Every structure is written in C-alpha cells, then in structure tokens.
Amino acid sequence: MNFHLVGGFTMRYFIYLAYDGTNYHGWQIQPNGDSVQETLMRALSTFLRQEIEVVGAGRTDAGVHARLMIAHFDYDRELDCVQITEKLNRLLPPDIAVYAVKRVKDDAHARFDATYRTYKYYVTTRKDPFNRHYAWRLFNSLDFEKMNEAARVLFDYTDFTSFSKLHTDVKTNNCRIMHAEWTQVSGTEWVFIIKADRFLRNMVRAVVGTLVEVGRGKMTVDEFRKVIEDKDRCSAGSSVPGHALFLVDVGYPEELFIVSPSDISNI
C-alpha cells in the first residue's frame, strides 16, 4: 500500500461510485437490512485496517439506484487513489462499483457542499423482462405534454412540503428546482429528469406520482399548482416505485478539489 503519514492530520477523500440498489435498503445504514453505506464502509475498513466512517451526498431510498453517488471519508495518511479504487472494487460486491477516489480539501463535505443533484425516473409502456428492475411499467398512455406543462410550475416555488415524507428531521422544506422535464427515450420509454440544489425525503417519487395524475387526466395543471401551495403531503399523488429512480449526478465547486475534477467529468 503506497502512503505516507502526514504529521497527525487527517486527509479527506471523495469517492465516486455507482450502485444497483435492488438488494439494498437504501444508502443509509439500517438496523435490520443491508445498506450501500455500510457495505462501502466495511470494504474501506477492511482495506485500511481501521474503522472508517463514510458520509454520502444524499440518502437514496430502498431499491433506488445511483449511476453516480459521491461520498467522503477521512484518513490520516496519503493514499494512492488509483490503487485504492482497484482494491475497493475487488472487495465490493458486483452491484457496487467505485469509479474514482480523489483528494479534496480537508473541510470539503460530500453532502453540504453539493451545489446540485440530478435524478432520472424511467417509465415504460412495454413489458420488458430485461428492464423490469429499472423502469416503471405503465398500463395506460399518458399526456406527457400536459405533464411537462405541470412540471414547469415547479420553477415558481421553493417550498415543497407537499412532496416530502412526513416527520423528517430537516430544518427547511425549501429547494431550488433547476430543471424538470419529461423526455422520450424511445417509442415506449420516457424519462423524467429533475435537478435541484437539494431534495427532500421521497420528493422525486412524490413529484413523479403527482405528475402522472396530471398525465392520466385525473388532475389539471392548476390543481397541480394548488397541491404545491397546500403544503400538505395528503394533497399530492402517491409515490411511485423506487426501482425506476436513479441518482445520476452531483455537483461541487471546483475549489474543493486539490486536483481538478475535470479528469472525472465524463463519469
């Protein structure tokens, strides 16, 4: 292992990873189920031969996937980032992959310093045995044009209490939506892409479920707007299944990085 001791100081590293969430009870450590966070911490602790804590950029729910999640950990020695990436991938199960490990400034924080997160939610109208874990099958056609009209309403607001899981420990339900749009992937598949500075617990799945109500003609665009203004979870639609949701990107200021993140921009 290539490292050297740095006079009593800890050094902070960002881990860039992806995972298939099918077999996990979400990102966060759970008392009675496997989590991605715990699995990653176990691999790191095994390789570095000491207990390592890992902090993620967010908390994905049970069954939700990540094409790109960022987490940070501290260590008191300088690491060979290429070597630790390779070693972690050998220790981790096939459904979790580490893309890169990067040294960052010692006060950089994977969660609090993130400037945006981007999620994608996939729906399909075709039964597909090879995509059943990664897209939600719809049995009725939807008016995606009307759903996009409703999605644009999100830009007019910052308080999204109506789309938040109840009884969470957050101090504010305010979020700034930067992008929200349905795009057709193929003749039978659509994806909803949403980008914001932060997300509330269960927020994306609740937004998608409410937009589907609009697409089915069960809710008008004006009624969608009223759902937001009600600030009441009971006013919104049901949460859609988690298996079709992917965290796909997390952004940070470049000044956090000791080495520019440009070399991993294509991950």
Side-chain angles (χ1 to χ4, degrees), residues 150-157 160 163 177 180 192 194 207 224 228:
R152 288 190 288 272
V153 171
L154 294 167
F155 300 124
D156 297 338
Y157 298 90
F160 294 104
F163 301 126
I177 306 293
F192 180 62
I194 184 166
V207 168
F224 181 83
I228 301 173

Side-chain angles (χ1 to χ4, degrees), residues 97-167:
V98 172
Y99 292 139
V101 176
K102 294 292 176 182
R103 175 80 194 285
V104 295
K105 292 183 178 179
D106 295 340
D107 60 350
H109 198 287
R111 179 183 174 190
F112 298 132
D113 285 330
T115 56
Y116 68 84
R117 287 99 168 152
T118 304
Y119 282 89
K120 290 185 178 181
Y121 193 90
Y122 292 87
V123 299
T124 181
T125 57
R126 182 182 69 174
K127 185 178 181 181
D128 184 345
F130 303 107
N131 201 31
R132 68 189 188 281
H133 294 307
Y134 310 108
W136 181 38
R137 187 186 174 199
L138 300 169
F139 293 91
N140 299 305
S141 60
L142 300 177
D143 186 340
F144 286 97
E145 184 176 344
K146 188 64 69 175
M147 290 160 69
N148 270 334
E149 184 181 343
R152 288 190 288 272
V153 171
L154 294 167
F155 300 124
D156 297 338
Y157 298 90
T158 56
D159 188 331
F160 294 104
T161 300
S162 294
F163 301 126
S164 174
K165 186 175 182 178
L166 298 175
H167 311 302

Side-chain angles (χ1 to χ4, degrees), residues 170-224:
V170 298
K171 296 179 181 179
T172 175
N173 287 334
N174 287 354
C175 309
R176 182 169 62 89
I177 306 293
M178 305 170 185
H179 182 90
E181 184 179 22
W182 288 93
T183 302
Q184 190 167 15
V185 178
S186 67
T188 59
E189 188 174 5
W190 289 75
V191 60
F192 180 62
I193 305 172
I194 184 166
K195 176 181 178 181
D197 61 344
R198 63 190 291 266
F199 287 93
L200 309 173
R201 291 287 303 279
N202 203 235
M203 178 175 167
V204 179
R205 292 164 59 194
V207 168
V208 172
T210 312
L211 288 173
V212 167
E213 293 293 290
V214 175
R216 287 173 172 165
K218 296 182 178 181
M219 181 183 294
T220 66
V221 174
D222 286 338
E223 288 171 337
F224 181 83

